Amino acid sequence: MDVRSEQEAVVGLTQAEADARRGRGEANTAVSGTTRSYARILRTNVFSFYNMILFVIGAALLGLGRYSDALISVGLGLVNALISAVQEIRAKRKLDRLQLLDRAPVLVVRDGREVEVAADSVVRGDVLRVRPGDQIVVDGPLLDGGWVEADESLLTGESDPVVKNPGDELRSGTSCVAGEGLQHARDVGPVSYAGRLTAQARRVTTDKTPLQRRIEFVIRLVMALVVLMSGTILAQAALEGFSLLRVVQITAVLSGLVPYGLFFLIAVAYTAGAARIAGHGALVQQVNAVESVSNVDVVCTDKTGTLTTGRLALAQVEPLGGRDTAEVDAALGGFARTATSPNLTTTALAASLPGSAWTMRNEVPFASSLRWSGVVTGEGAWVLGAPDALAPHLTGGLDVSDEVAAHAARGLRVLMLARAADRTAELRDAAGHPMLPALEPVAVVALADELRPEVTQSIARFHADGVALKVISGDDPRTVAALAVQAGLDAGEPVSGAELDGLGPDDTAALDRLVARTTVFGRVAPEQKERIVASLRRQGRYVAMIGDGVNDARALKRAHVGVAMRSGSSVTRDVADIVLVDDSFAALLPAQHEGRRIINGIAASMYIFLARVATQGLVILAVTMLGLGFPYSPTQVGLTLLTVGVPTLFLTFWARPVTPDRNLLGNLARFVIPAAVLTAGFGTAVYAYLYQLVLAGFTSGRTPAQVVSQFESYTGLTYTDSEFSTAAATIGAQTGLSTFVCLASFVLILFLAPPTRFFAAWTRPTDDRGPAVLVAALLVAFAAVLFTPALSNYFGLTGAAPPVFEAVLPALGLWFAALSAAYRIRLLDRVLGLDELARVPTER
């Protein structure tokens, strides 16, 4: 501290000096928001590249009066964008409210006297009065003439208060539990420890899950193919002189090939999964955590408050000098009940031992600086404290070092109960300061951290699922290791934070090796927890971090999945992806199973989505190359509600939890390519057959005028007699194609979930009859579309007619036989050599 600072430390600042420093930005102001602005969130989600294409198409269709086409083309993308924007805005509001420090008033020295000011009115250079119960709001040293005991558990995880003497650092975010003194405000606001920690906690670090990344890859691939295909088809349309309306409609159909509904389906599945998980005691705050938790293969957890309840349990009482066990137990129970300032130790003793409160004449409460507490009764003075603190005052020559070392090696907290050798002795000197008289040892007391009741079973289940656990704590490594063994872990050789610091920041290889082989870490600082999580991620592990204190916040942000206890700090809860509302470690297991169920359901939906997209794309290419018009209209694409929308929704919600498919893209190729090629091939044949049949005079039972009238209503154009045959041929062929593709799509569901061996070409039969019932319901719904004039007109179809079924049903039978054979003999694997890239699925 310089000369000016020493003067400030004696008299503090004047009000004028404080005002000047506040004007220079040196006040202890709260950290401002560091998240994205609302405008940027809306711009990113709503006005994405793909949405802009949809909006242009929608605007063109609206301008041409095609309102239903515009709604179908734009609606789903807009809904999905709004859902994403709302989710991000909710996360932003939560992070912007996050503050580590409370805003209670504090005492500062101004103009030579102590005055109460708001915490954000403190400026750099102020002198603050620190008293028991106060939160430290700035960083700086303790000045001469005082001492305090600081509770740093919120920042470091250290459960015992730390004695601070003049010159020692007091950090913002800690609190004073005993003593009193003056602190010099060196670092304030954003540059203080609490300010830096708050800013780091507010960073937006949402990870995309493996499934989200795979879906994004597939969609980008499809978009690239659609762009190439669109250029070719629109160029041909320009050469053939298509109308502006037809060009816009073709563009709408082509843009609909992108399986954008997968994002919407994921949002719905995540929301439903979050609701289910909440019933098991886990509140999902980041929706993709529902799926992300299912990929976790290593769980890092704090000790206090996560594995333990935060309470102590009596492990053993060992009487000394041949004393009677019952008398010793009664003495300990009486001591615990007499103490006027209960703590974790006396609470555990009173709950486990008999005895009644004594009549007390004097008391010395426990303090970290003393490391003992005592009471004086009519029968003498009793003391309970750390063995090494009492050892210099013990009489009788009894050596208990071996017993103490044995208990400490097991990670237990060891205390000694002793009694004053002189029954008239006091525990304070003439000035009233605590002092120890000569003592007789009575008993050695061992206390253990109390495990949460579900922890041991949960750890065993995690191991059975192939999930590793690592315990990372601010406590002594030996204590943490003993607790880990008690919980059922193989603790191995624990590692301390000092050993981690011995590895330089650039020596990542050595750090990775150390982290990989270690299960227990003790005396670990918040930044070291973050390094451990980063190391695991660098090794390709999928990490969940469980914590309850502010010291865990950075590691929670760095992990793939951050999990907080509800009883923990508000900062930790706000940055977590999942909050365990009952503080139950076991709630993660149902969450993991629900995530696996969702992954399985969405994976099944991807098979249906991509089979439809690939089929439509191939049909469009084939029909266009044959010069037979355009095979789809925007309203006919609306039939995907039956072939994709409804099936994927039900399949997602009906899925069962299984181990995630690590080769999803390879298996997708094995299923989709044969299905798309054969469906497109037979569909194109049906389309070409009916197109030629209509040109030869087929009008599906209607008069030529009726067919032309329907087509004019659908297109908004007027046709001359010379154009009649082409118009009738197009709509008739489109009806046959849509019928075939819809029926084939329904059968694909039975391939994915075969009710009998007849359909078991892709995977084994399932006992779930839900998919078969769903297919029956979809057939009824599609029949209603074909046989109801209003519905068939809306979807641009001619309605049911015998020639349609005469073409579709035989083609469907041949298609089923060919696809079954392709799946059973693994045709694609044989042709492309996919045996080495994809495993054979056994269950979906």
Side-chain angles (χ1 to χ4, degrees), residues 355-381:
S356 57
W358 300 328
T359 300
M360 182 178 60
R361 291 192 295 105
N362 198 356
E363 179 183 20
V364 176
F366 177 83
S368 296
S369 56
L370 297 175
R371 302 177 64 211
W372 60 268
S373 64
V375 296
V376 181
T377 70
E379 298 182 358

Side-chain angles (χ1 to χ4, degrees), residues 3 77 95 110 113 134 142 204 278 426 445 464 475 659:
V3 175
L95 290 176
R110 294 274 174 86
R113 59 188 180 89
D134 289 348
L142 185 67
V204 180
E426 295 289 338
V445 182
D475 283 346
T659 302

Side-chain angles (χ1 to χ4, degrees), residues 229-254:
M229 189 167 60
S230 299
T232 303
I233 293 174
L234 291 177
Q236 181 179 356
L239 294 175
E240 295 179 1
F242 279 11
S243 66
L244 175 61
L245 175 60
R246 291 298 292 151
V247 171
V248 173
Q249 287 177 327
I250 290 172
T251 305
V253 171
L254 292 172

Side-chain angles (χ1 to χ4, degrees), residues 85-140:
V86 168
Q87 290 171 350
E88 188 170 348
I89 287 173
R90 286 179 60 193
K92 169 186 167 57
R93 294 177 63 184
K94 184 193 305 178
L95 290 176
D96 284 348
R97 291 196 304 266
L98 186 150
Q99 287 292 341
L100 173 59
L101 300 178
D102 60 36
R103 312 316 293 175
V106 297
L107 281 177
V108 300
V109 179
R110 294 274 174 86
D111 297 317
R113 59 188 180 89
E114 293 183 358
V115 296
E116 190 175 83
V117 300
D120 56 6
S121 295
V122 176
V123 299
R124 187 180 63 82
D126 259 327
V127 174
L128 292 80
R129 169 70 64 182
V130 178
R131 301 168 298 179
D134 289 348
Q135 185 182 48
I136 310 300
V137 298
V138 297
D139 294 347

